[in-house]
Amino acid sequence: MTAIDPTPGALKPVTLRMIFILNALKILLAFGFFAAFKFYGLQVGELAGPQAANLMLYTMLGYMVTFACIVASILKRSMTGIRAAIAVDFLVSIPATAVVGCVIAIISMGLTFTTTVRAHFAYRV
């Protein structure tokens, strides 16, 4: 039998892990688009060529910085920090018109309002 921790917020909840995984996958998605624009000549609407590749590269770097801030906020249990990082992450998606990035940021922000995530960030060792 497994023992259930009686202290709410002591362990990382599934919703917090989902925030982590979704934002990590967004970095890989941006890298995939960068490679497709750079090496395979992908064209999406007006986005094509080296300019699109550079835009995806900068978007990916922005996602990496905000992901680092999300991880630091999770480790420090800073609710304000994670929400601010997700808001900036949403703003990073706008110049590239990354709809998937915007949707993931909105979902991640919504998940920070769940009871389990709030209990995790309220828990102090």
Side-chain angles (χ1 to χ4, degrees):
M1 290 183 60
T2 59
I4 298 175
D5 185 19
T7 311
L11 300 175
K12 289 182 182 65
V14 173
T15 49
L16 189 59
R17 293 173 194 267
M18 287 174 53
I19 293 170
F20 180 88
I21 291 168
L22 285 172
N23 284 284
L25 288 175
K26 191 165 38 173
I27 295 169
L28 293 175
L29 183 66
F31 178 74
F33 274 109
F34 165 73
F37 281 120
K38 183 78 173 174
F39 302 113
Y40 297 107
L42 178 69
Q43 182 173 355
V44 179
E46 296 177 8
L47 289 175
Q51 291 177 332
N54 287 339
L55 181 62
M56 286 299 119
L57 178 65
Y58 293 134
T59 302
M60 182 182 64
L61 292 175
Y63 287 160
M64 293 170 93
V65 169
T66 57
F67 182 72
C69 293
I70 288 171
V71 170
S73 298
I74 290 172
L75 293 176
K76 292 182 180 182
R77 294 184 187 254
S78 171
M79 183 64 82
T80 307
I82 193 169
R83 287 184 178 159
I86 292 170
V88 170
D89 190 60
F90 179 81
L91 295 174
V92 166
S93 299
I94 292 173
T97 59
V99 177
V100 174
C102 291
V103 169
I104 289 175
I106 291 169
I107 291 170
S108 296
M109 185 64 79
L111 290 174
T112 64
F113 290 97
T114 60
T115 307
T116 55
V117 172
R118 285 188 288 140
H120 176 74
F121 280 97
Y123 179 77
R124 298 289 177 221
V125 179

